[in-house]
């Protein structure tokens, strides 16, 4: 007998699917313009990727900053986490 199990789909799969659909729509709609101006299209793609990376880095830095601003009572019982984007390396040279 076949069991009917519910499977959870990771969020990254859904995001990848939606990005693929969006890219397919853009290529179908504006493919002629992209073929006519390939250098400019590549520059715009690099610009969009750079803005996405900067947004991710800002989100990570704000996340680390907000983690440091916990109330004093909460930090006494817990270990203070090291920011993930800090330039500091532990003595063994491995970031966690």
């Amino acid at each position: 007998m076949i069991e009917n199990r519910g499977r959870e789909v990771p969020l990254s799969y859904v995001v990848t699917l939606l990005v693929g659909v969006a890219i397919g729509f853009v290529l179908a709609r504006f493919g002629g313009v992209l073929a006519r101006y390939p250098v400019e299209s590549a520059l715009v793609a690099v610009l969009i990727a750079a803005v996405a990376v900067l947004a991710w880095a800002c989100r990570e830095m704000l996340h680390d900053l907000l983690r440091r601003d916990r109330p004093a009572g909460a930090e006494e019982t817990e270990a203070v986490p090291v920011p993930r984007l800090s330039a500091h390396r532990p003595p063994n040279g491995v970031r966690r």
Side-chain angles (χ1 to χ4, degrees):
M1 202 180 236
I2 299 174
E3 292 182 23
N4 190 7
R5 295 184 192 176
R7 292 176 55 178
E8 294 182 16
V9 177
L11 183 62
S12 61
Y13 289 4
V14 174
V15 170
T16 303
L17 175 69
L18 293 177
V19 168
V21 169
I23 289 173
F25 175 76
V26 168
L27 286 176
R29 179 87 171 138
F30 303 108
V33 175
L34 296 176
R36 191 176 313 143
Y37 304 107
V39 174
E40 291 84 354
S41 301
L43 290 174
V44 169
V46 168
L47 178 65
I48 291 171
V51 169
V53 168
L54 285 174
W56 172 81
C58 289
R59 182 180 88 58
E60 290 295 319
M61 288 189 294
L62 286 173
H63 181 71
D64 288 340
L65 180 69
L66 292 176
R67 255 195 300 169
R68 284 190 212 156
D69 292 338
R70 288 185 184 165
E75 290 184 9
E76 292 175 4
T77 58
E78 300 175 2
V80 178
V82 177
R84 289 180 284 176
L85 295 179
S86 70
H88 174 273
R89 286 194 181 267
N92 63 0
V94 178
R95 284 188 186 171
R96 293 180 188 220

